[in-house]
Amino acid sequence: MPIVETIPRIIFRPLITKDEYMFTAYCSEFRLAASGYSPGEAISKLKQTIISYCNALKRKDLLNRALEESKITTVALEVQREPEDVVIDIT
């Protein structure tokens, strides 16, 4: 019988700003940001930054504490969400 593993997910709503040349996506819960030449590129880079940050926390066994303190929404199942929310699978 196969083992079914639930993958936790982080849901957050990034703030997107634009300066003269670049877009910046900001996650206020983790106080992380990334930039790109389009909103999509900035969000994509922010997702990778958050994944790297979470993996580092996980290696130090601090991920759950950081998620609780940041009041980040985590879910194990699909939920109703807003179109501008960003979902990251934490593995």
Side-chain angles (χ1 to χ4, degrees):
M1 177 171 239
I3 297 172
V4 177
E5 184 178 8
T6 303
I7 299 172
R9 294 178 149 187
I10 292 175
I11 299 175
F12 70 99
R13 186 167 301 151
L15 171 65
I16 307 293
T17 60
K18 183 181 186 299
D19 64 18
E20 190 173 347
Y21 303 105
M22 303 287 284
F23 290 87
T24 301
Y26 179 70
C27 174
S28 61
E29 294 87 353
F30 280 135
R31 297 185 182 133
L32 296 172
S35 60
Y37 291 103
S38 69
E41 181 182 10
I43 290 171
S44 178
K45 287 181 177 181
L46 178 59
K47 287 172 76 170
Q48 290 305 314
T49 300
I50 291 171
I51 288 168
S52 294
Y53 180 69
C54 287
N55 285 336
L57 289 172
K58 191 174 182 180
R59 283 191 299 273
K60 295 180 179 188
D61 202 28
L62 296 172
L63 180 60
N64 288 333
R65 180 178 171 185
L67 293 173
E68 288 172 13
E69 288 178 2
S70 299
K71 299 196 180 356
I72 292 275
T73 301
T74 59
V75 294
L77 303 171
E78 288 293 321
V79 295
Q80 188 75 26
R81 60 185 180 84
E82 299 299 319
E84 60 270 15
D85 289 347
V86 175
V87 177
I88 300 175
D89 292 335
I90 305 294
T91 57

